[in-house]
Amino acid sequence: MTADYTVEWTRRESEREGTPLAVLLHGHGANERDLLGMVPGLPDELTYASVRAPVSMGFGAYTWFDLDVERLAYSSAAARQAVEDLWEWLDSVRGQHSSVTLIGFSMGMALATSLLRIRPEAFQAAVGLSGFAVDPQRGEGIEDFFNDEALSSHKIPFFWGRDQADPIIPEEMVEYTHKWANSTVNLTKVLYAGAGHGVVPQEISHVGEFLRMEVLGRRVSAQR
């Protein structure tokens, strides 16, 4: 049975067929409305689906899996289950679209990069904002989950935006993510001073340019 998610779509179902899909994955303590503010600055040729994380924290806040915010500690088994459930939903909708791109903020970036690492062939490109990639050495239950060797052979375009002074993501997570990205994806990394743990207008503009080049540009090339 496919996992049930609350999803905000930017197109009616009858208008989605054949369009490139971009899946928006919000951060810890947010909801499916959080990243929709980016959409006006992104290419309108894409269909955007903003997914609400399944674990309620109350008062309209949700998380993909339980997180110790002070230490950014989490259960690897819970993270794995969250990724597997999200893949089930994605697999149920992706056939309607010409391609699938992932856009994740903070914990949503952890979900996006994890999806790349289990099904690299399923994705056109990915965007990570102020987040991190899951280190499989941090806990049990996820060591055999990722296939980074397969991912590195695909060299998927990946845009990573962050503030070097991000007060939330610890340096060791940034270092791991940087090492991982350099060895597995076609990385575009941009730093945004003053963004903190957030997204700034210039960053949205750059993400838009990235999508036009790596999603829409490749789509046009494939049609020639």
Side-chain angles (χ1 to χ4, degrees), residues 120-121 147-156 183-185:
E121 73 284 354
N147 190 348
D148 284 342
E149 184 176 347
L151 177 59
S152 65
S153 70
H154 284 77
K155 285 297 180 184
I156 293 173
S183 64
T184 58
V185 294

Side-chain angles (χ1 to χ4, degrees), residues 10 24 33-46 48 103 201 204-205 207-209 211-212:
T10 58
L24 305 177
R33 302 294 302 171
D34 188 55
L35 297 182
L36 287 174
M38 295 176 55
V39 170
L42 304 179
D44 59 11
E45 293 94 333
L46 280 74
Y48 298 89
I103 302 176
I204 296 172
S205 177
V207 171
E209 292 171 5
L211 295 177
R212 288 184 186 91

